[in-house]
Amino acid sequence: MRIGMPHMGNLYIPFKSLFQRLDIDFVIPPLTSQRTLSLGVRHSPEGTCLPFKLTLGNLIEAAELGADTLLMPAGSGICRLGYYAKTQQHVLHELGYNAEIVCVGFSQRKLAGLLETIKNLSNNAPWSKIIPAFRFGLAKLNALDRIERVVQKLRPVEETKGTANRLLTKAVKAIDQANDYNTLKRVQIDYINQLNQVTKDEETSPLVVGIIGEFYVLLEPFSNLDVEKELGRLGVEVRRTTFVSEWTKFSLFLNPFGVNEKDRIHKAALPYLKRDIGGDGWESVGEKVLHAKEYDGLVHLAPFTCMPEIVAQNIMPKTKENIPVLTILCDEQLGKSGMLTRLEAFTDLLKHRRRVKNKA
Ligand code: SF4
């Protein structure tokens, strides 16, 4: 059995570590690229959302490398995610790949379901091997997100543009290579120190922009054309509440005990939207309401044809909590120069708004 899975940011790093420790043959498809997108677009049904196309492209590239067991997240929600695995399986078979898709159903059995899937994939490895391997994977996931948060703060204020991104690339590589807790801890401390020592422009008070929207396009930089890096280059501090480590902490460990991190966000959305509409639409509305006073603006990332985010996009202008929102529809037609022009215009508007506010 050779396992493959689609990319979403650096998520392959904790999975690689987990599978290596369990001696599972795991193949990492090439990082998401223009080729991945072309493959996905060519073989997807018309009108599907970008996450479907990109993950399909990843799965095809994994199958090309000999993967015969492909992992796909599955959900019981209201949107198309529930149909992904079945449709992608069909496409792969049509293309002549004999790979089977294994659904990883987080939403139903949470941690127990995930651990059982790992046990099956590892050919019944003992729990005494699975649990430490799983914990170390989680430690890597936490380390990656911790460093990314520091980088988000540093990008807009670093004196030499690009320093934070260069350190991030090195840190990701070092975390990937760390083989024990001591090394992992040392790598984290070392890179966070290096990031803290970067020369900053202390005079600057950067604009603060929240990034909200659909989970996948928030976390896969290829799908959003590196919007966070681009905003950082424009002198904007990005705030994002969605991180895989946070999601894991709540979804796998705390939700079963009745602790739901989204309660606050859902409550904030209630005057405008009373129920879950699938995907992350409810959260997008709630985040706008919650953060209207804290942030200068919001960038709302929505896959083209994503029903939950279309609903959210249409509700947002009507909330009484007033904050500028730039919705970026992500699909294969999104071009870098067009997006940059819109980001530049948006940040100009936010700067003007801040000046007016400061004078008042
Ligand atoms: S939330 Fe939107 S983009 Fe994500 S799977 Fe559902 S429909 Fe597609």
Side-chain angles (χ1 to χ4, degrees):
M1 184 196 291
R2 174 173 274 198
I3 295 177
M5 61 178 276
H7 281 291
M8 190 175 70
N10 294 317
L11 193 58
Y12 70 94
I13 292 175
F15 273 95
K16 178 179 155 193
S17 154
L18 167 72
F19 290 143
Q20 271 176 353
R21 287 177 167 233
L22 294 174
D23 303 316
I24 296 174
D25 186 7
F26 176 58
V27 63
I28 304 168
L31 289 181
T32 304
S33 65
Q34 199 51 45
R35 179 176 186 267
T36 318
L37 178 61
S38 305
L39 282 170
V41 170
R42 194 175 328 138
H43 300 295
S44 294
E46 205 189 334
T48 44
C49 41
L50 186 65
F52 180 97
K53 294 171 186 166
L54 286 177
T55 52
L56 176 64
N58 290 145
L59 295 180
I60 294 173
E61 289 183 315
E64 285 173 347
L65 293 173
D68 54 17
T69 307
L70 300 166
L71 304 185
M72 264 306 287
S76 53
I78 309 164
C79 80
R80 282 180 275 198
L81 180 64
Y83 299 106
Y84 270 31
K86 261 201 166 15
T87 318
Q88 289 172 334
Q89 173 84 78
H90 184 73
V91 174
L92 286 164
H93 283 177
E94 292 262 293
L95 290 173
Y97 295 108
N98 210 8
E100 288 302 314
I101 293 191
V102 174
C103 292
V104 188
F106 299 109
S107 45
Q108 294 89 30
R109 302 212 38 235
K110 308 284 177 189
L111 182 60
L114 181 59
L115 289 175
E116 255 169 44
T117 308
I118 296 169
K119 190 157 179 71
N120 291 337
L121 295 172
S122 65
N123 214 2
N124 243 346
W127 289 114
S128 57
K129 205 172 167 189
I130 293 176
I131 304 292
F134 184 72
R135 282 187 56 213
F136 192 60
L138 280 185
K140 285 201 173 194
L141 180 63
N142 289 331
L144 287 164
D145 285 354
R146 205 164 292 139
I147 299 224
E148 208 180 331
R149 282 194 179 92
V150 181
V151 168
Q152 285 175 333
K153 279 195 174 299
L154 180 60
R155 280 185 188 125
V157 291
E158 62 188 0
E159 276 206 338
T160 312
K161 289 290 169 205
T163 313
N165 290 338
R166 271 194 296 280
L167 285 170
L168 176 64
T169 308
K170 285 188 187 170
V172 169
K173 201 168 166 199
I175 291 171
D176 185 21
Q177 287 168 351
N179 263 332
D180 55 70
Y181 282 101
N182 282 342
T183 316
L184 186 59
K185 195 171 169 197
R186 194 166 30 77
V187 163
Q188 274 185 83
I189 294 173
D190 182 27
Y191 278 96
I192 289 179
N193 281 343
Q194 287 192 51
L195 286 162
N196 287 337
Q197 278 162 20
V198 169
T199 319
K200 300 174 194 72
D201 177 356
E202 304 289 351
E203 305 291 296
T204 314
S205 166
L207 290 170
V208 177
V209 168
I211 302 273
I212 59 170
E214 194 266 347
F215 197 80
Y216 176 90
V217 291
L218 284 180
L219 296 173
E220 173 50 58
F222 182 88
S223 70
N224 60 44
L225 304 183
D226 274 321
V227 69
E228 292 195 11
K229 279 188 190 164
E230 297 304 339
L231 282 167
R233 204 178 46 78
L234 290 170
V236 172
E237 182 184 323
V238 166
R239 302 253 177 102
R240 161 162 53 87
T241 55
T242 304
F243 282 87
V244 182
S245 56
E246 279 294 297
W247 180 88
T248 309
K249 181 171 84 188
F250 283 97
S251 187
L252 296 187
F253 298 103
L254 297 177
N255 290 172
F257 297 103
V259 183
N260 189 348
E261 82 285 15
K262 291 188 176 163
D263 280 350
R264 208 165 67 95
I265 300 174
H266 294 161
K267 213 165 150 199
L270 275 183
Y272 311 102
L273 187 60
K274 302 234 175 292
R275 69 172 183 92
D276 185 14
I277 49 168
D280 305 283
W282 205 10
E283 288 77 22
S284 293
V285 175
E287 288 223 51
K288 185 197 168 187
V289 175
L290 267 184
H291 302 305
K293 289 212 174 91
E294 274 167 67
Y295 300 165
D296 292 284
L298 291 167
V299 169
H300 173 219
L301 298 178
F304 183 57
T305 76
C306 169
M307 182 274 290
E309 295 304 335
I310 292 172
V311 175
Q313 184 190 2
N314 282 283
I315 292 175
M316 281 197 264
K318 300 185 177 70
T319 66
K320 72 173 177 353
E321 292 77 8
N322 188 16
I323 179 174
V325 180
L326 173 69
T327 296
I328 297 179
L329 295 176
C330 305
D331 78 343
E332 63 272 21
Q333 307 294 341
L334 180 66
K336 192 90 167 189
S337 42
M339 186 183 81
L340 288 183
T341 309
R342 294 178 68 203
L343 289 181
E344 281 164 13
F346 188 60
T347 47
D348 281 349
L349 169 102
L350 298 184
K351 279 182 199 155
H352 174 71
R353 223 171 155 253
R354 198 191 257 194
R355 273 197 300 273
V356 172
K357 216 163 136 189
N358 288 344
K359 271 191 206 156

